[in-house]
Amino acid sequence: MMHCCITIDPSNLQPANAQVAYQQGAAIAHNIKALIAGKSPTPATVNLRGTLMKLGLHQSAVEIFDRYEIKGQLGQAIRLATYLELMPTPARNFINRTGWFTEDILKRITTL
């Protein structure tokens, strides 16, 4: 997967991650529509919500709003819930949730 983000203002540097690229992409789409309609474009506003990191099969670390760090299985639950929230359609959400659920149950059954 490739992520792209850039800023011209060196005092407003953003991390090169999907969260920033996603928000910038939405701003670009908005500005293209504005230009087509004869309106002025507006600067992108990026709101960093935190960092999500997978640490093995059932562990994750999350940093929320640069304040709270949560690790382990609770971090994994927060990470998965965040990704589910970002799914574009309920059908895609259901497919992913079903896959994660069955994978987790099958792993636990096979390790007994």
Side-chain angles (χ1 to χ4, degrees), residues 52-56 58-62 70-77 79-80:
L52 308 171
M53 183 184 331
K54 184 138 177 78
L55 302 172
H58 303 289
Q59 305 283 318
S60 291
V62 298
I70 303 168
K71 298 177 185 175
Q73 290 183 341
L74 180 57
Q76 174 75 348
R79 181 181 159 274
L80 291 176

Side-chain angles (χ1 to χ4, degrees), residues 32-81:
I32 289 171
K33 286 181 181 180
L35 290 171
I36 290 170
K39 299 177 182 175
S40 297
T42 57
T45 302
V46 175
N47 299 313
L48 296 175
R49 296 180 299 255
T51 303
L52 308 171
M53 183 184 331
K54 184 138 177 78
L55 302 172
L57 291 177
H58 303 289
Q59 305 283 318
S60 291
V62 298
E63 184 181 76
I64 304 169
F65 301 113
D66 293 328
R67 283 193 179 164
Y68 308 103
E69 185 177 303
I70 303 168
K71 298 177 185 175
Q73 290 183 341
L74 180 57
Q76 174 75 348
I78 293 169
R79 181 181 159 274
L80 291 176

